[in-house]
Amino acid sequence: MLSYTEENYLKAIYHLSNAGERLVSTNELAETMQTKPASVTDMAKKLSAKNLIAYEKYYGVNLLKSGKQEALQIIRKHRLWETFLVDKLGFTWDEVHEVAEQLEHIQSGLLIEKLDKFLEYPTVDPHGHPIPDPSGKIKEVKQIPLAEFPVYKKCTIRAVKNGSPSFLQYLSKIGIYIDASVSIVDKVEFDGSLEVSIDNKKRVFISREAAQNLMVTG
Amino acid sequence: MLSYTEENYLKAIYHLSNAGERLVSTNELAETMQTKPASVTDMAKKLSAKNLIAYEKYYGVNLLKSGKQEALQIIRKHRLWETFLVDKLGFTWDEVHEVAEQLEHIQSGLLIEKLDKFLEYPTVDPHGHPIPDPSGKIKEVKQIPLAEFPVYKKCTIRAVKNGSPSFLQYLSKIGIYIDASVSIVDKVEFDGSLEVSIDNKKRVFISREAAQNLMVTG
DNA sequence: ATTATTTTTTAGATTAATCTAAACTTTTAT
DNA sequence: ATAAAAGTTTAGATTAATCTAAAAAATAAT
């Protein structure tokens, strides 16, 4: 069985590598894990010895099949718990991450099975991120940043890319939420900021930076 | 903040000492913690240095006020989670202990507050054990073992003392549950076993040992 | 009241996860 | 193409939680 720390490394590698698409460097991993490069090297050796990651000295790490599978299970648990916290306990979407970081490590297959059923088999979490199914499969939906969507055309907010609490709180404050129907009514040349209409009711200005982090579908 | 292990020691001392009523020996504690006496001594020194327990060499340990308070908070979390697992997720009462042992260590005041509300402020867990309130207070109810209750008189099953999965499964199988209305219809001289009527519908035989572990009120 | 037995503690190792400082590779820039 | 900079690894410590074996104290038994 994996330790709490090993699980967190696998999850971090999963995210940094874009689900295994590219190598992850020691420094990058040290940064996200809030630790020192030397510690990362130690862990890389350990996970490599367990056949969870491929590690080549000085080049970086990436997930092997079993490591990716483990990572997906942890992500599944994380997202199911976030969904529980928001849908059942009334947490706001900016409050859930920290708690889910702890809950994702609870070891019980039965618990996750029953939680999934209780939540009626959700497919996305409160931030719009897909929840892997029991076998680790993810239903990918093509989404593009709001910043790149054509003006005047209606689209639907599907997910947030950067889910930092302050960004999420800001979105709530201006009235943006998952599944909101929006359209760009004006694009400011100068800084790329957007004027956006929400549900044909409300108009707000969004920085280009923010619009890059809002994922939409047409 | 306390480590996972420190929390488990405090909880064990709480239970073994009967909520702080008596000293707990090193060997006893080693037994329940599934570890060696030498390890217990080490931990006793540590918890004592943190002013959570009173530890006198060769005599034993007991909880200090702050240690007892910590223990009660952990027990509160444990029992709220057990209630959640049974009432909301559909676990059976013999399946919950192991999972709650993990969940009780999740650090989030907000989570417990909201969980408590979601469960509508329960006062007892699925085994009939009282749930400490947010300040750690426990509502004690006078209960006696079914084995010591007078014959023919009706009483209500309120709690199980020993909550081992096999005992709980056995109780379910013969139809005994929390809040069941029962009465002793016969007491066998030879071995002290009882014939018990459940809800005036069903009759079962229960060993003296089992009847000692069923707590009832008149 | 000694002796034997049981219990507990101490001393010294071990393992996982971490660190710092020094050594070594790779990459970048001239 | 070589030197400087950046990134990575190794070596050697540290901390928490554990262990074994030996020593010490408390308890029980004669």
Side-chain angles (χ1 to χ4, degrees), chain B residues 11 75-101 103-104 115 119 122 124-129 131 160 163 168:
Chain B
K11 190 173 47 128
I75 291 165
R76 170 171 159 77
K77 291 196 272 177
H78 183 101
R79 293 180 179 169
L80 282 172
W81 279 116
E82 286 198 342
T83 305
F84 167 72
L85 295 173
V86 169
D87 290 2
K88 301 295 184 180
L89 295 197
F91 274 69
T92 55
W93 64 349
D94 57 290
E95 293 172 328
V96 296
H97 186 74
E98 218 194 328
V99 185
E101 286 285 300
L103 287 164
E104 72 190 6
L115 183 63
L119 300 172
V124 295
D125 77 9
H127 306 115
H129 300 145
I131 299 175
V160 292
L168 296 172

Side-chain angles (χ1 to χ4, degrees), chain A residues 124 128 130 138-146 149 155-159 214-218:
Chain A
V124 295
I138 284 184
K139 205 185 91 203
E140 292 289 1
V141 179
K142 254 199 310 279
Q143 301 170 341
I144 63 166
L146 176 59
F149 201 77
C155 62
T156 307
I157 304 286
R158 293 298 185 190
L214 288 172
M215 306 302 292
V216 305
T217 58

Side-chain angles (χ1 to χ4, degrees), chain B residues 47-65:
Chain B
L47 294 174
S48 176
K50 291 191 179 186
N51 275 297
L52 293 162
I53 67 171
Y55 166 52
E56 205 181 342
K57 253 183 161 185
Y58 293 106
Y59 280 86
V61 300
N62 208 345
L63 295 173
L64 292 178
K65 210 162 297 155

Side-chain angles (χ1 to χ4, degrees), chain A residues 6-48:
Chain A
E6 289 171 329
E7 289 193 347
N8 281 335
Y9 268 92
L10 291 177
K11 189 173 49 129
I13 296 168
Y14 181 93
H15 289 309
L16 287 171
S17 71
N18 240 301
E21 269 177 35
R22 63 172 195 82
L23 282 181
V24 174
S25 77
T26 301
N27 263 4
E28 263 183 296
L29 203 40
E31 176 109 356
T32 32
M33 294 300 294
Q34 310 242 65
T35 187
K36 304 291 161 179
S39 308
V40 172
T41 300
D42 288 346
M43 184 54 82
K45 286 178 187 166
K46 205 199 292 189
L47 294 174
S48 176

Side-chain angles (χ1 to χ4, degrees), chain A residues 89-181:
Chain A
L89 295 196
F91 274 68
T92 54
W93 66 348
D94 56 292
E95 293 172 329
V96 297
H97 186 75
E98 218 194 328
V99 184
E101 286 285 300
Q102 298 180 59
L103 287 164
E104 73 190 5
H105 299 290
I106 302 292
Q107 302 286 342
S108 167
L110 184 60
L111 174 61
I112 291 307
E113 228 174 78
K114 288 188 180 279
L115 184 63
D116 196 17
K117 183 179 182 183
F118 182 57
L119 299 172
E120 299 175 89
Y121 310 106
T123 58
V124 295
D125 77 10
H127 307 115
H129 299 146
I131 299 175
D133 76 12
S135 76
K137 214 166 289 166
I138 284 184
K139 205 185 91 203
E140 292 289 1
V141 179
K142 254 199 310 279
Q143 301 170 341
I144 63 166
L146 176 59
E148 292 165 22
F149 201 77
V151 285
Y152 306 128
K153 231 179 130 185
K154 266 201 181 169
C155 62
T156 307
I157 304 286
R158 293 298 185 190
V160 293
K161 220 172 181 178
N162 172 325
S164 77
S166 66
F167 181 51
L168 296 173
Q169 281 161 24
Y170 162 73
L171 293 176
S172 298
K173 194 150 139 195
I174 65 175
I176 293 224
Y177 57 94
I178 300 296
D179 290 337
S181 175

Side-chain angles (χ1 to χ4, degrees), chain A residues 40-74:
Chain A
V40 172
T41 300
D42 288 346
M43 184 54 82
K45 286 178 187 166
K46 205 199 292 189
L47 294 174
S48 176
K50 292 190 179 187
N51 275 298
L52 294 160
I53 66 171
Y55 166 52
E56 206 181 342
K57 253 181 159 190
Y58 294 105
Y59 281 85
V61 301
N62 208 345
L63 296 172
L64 292 178
K65 209 162 298 155
S66 60
K68 184 173 175 179
Q69 197 47 46
E70 289 285 353
L72 282 163
Q73 288 306 320
I74 300 158

